[in-house]
Amino acid sequence: MILTLKLLIAEDNDDHVNMIEKFLGNSCLEIDIFDCVDSLEKLEKKIGETTYDIVLLELGLTDTKTIQDFDKSDLFNQIPTIVITSLENSDLGIDAV
């Protein structure tokens, strides 16, 4: 069975985006829409323009300093979000969930 998704990635590192693309290319997912943004501001704008099934969210975006920056947005009550991070502090990822 192939699942079709409208996916938005919030990631500011091109190497990480490429790695995610390769991973998804080897999966049973069919990506109908694959958009990528590099800031929380652009993420909010994209979600206002397009309906997505899921967001992959990097915690260390260029315009975020703390987890509270994400708390200010109600976006994450609207759409399923998977938190990803390459930050060394794994507690931040756990706190985000």
Side-chain angles (χ1 to χ4, degrees), residues 3 10 13 21-22 26 28-31 34 36 38-40 43-44 46 49 54-56 64-65 92-93:
L3 300 174
N13 183 313
E21 284 180 299
K22 285 181 184 179
N26 293 327
C28 64
L29 298 173
E30 183 177 309
I31 308 299
F34 184 92
C36 187
D38 62 2
S39 69
L40 183 59
L43 174 68
E44 291 171 330
K46 272 288 194 188
E49 298 171 348
I54 196 161
V55 171
L56 296 181
T64 58
K65 302 291 184 229
L92 181 61

Side-chain angles (χ1 to χ4, degrees), residues 43-55 72-81:
L43 174 68
E44 291 171 330
K45 184 177 182 208
K46 272 288 194 188
I47 289 177
E49 298 171 348
T50 306
T51 301
Y52 294 96
D53 296 312
I54 196 161
V55 171
K72 296 174 189 172
S73 177
D74 68 344
L75 295 175
F76 310 108
N77 295 324
Q78 301 173 26
I79 184 168
T81 303

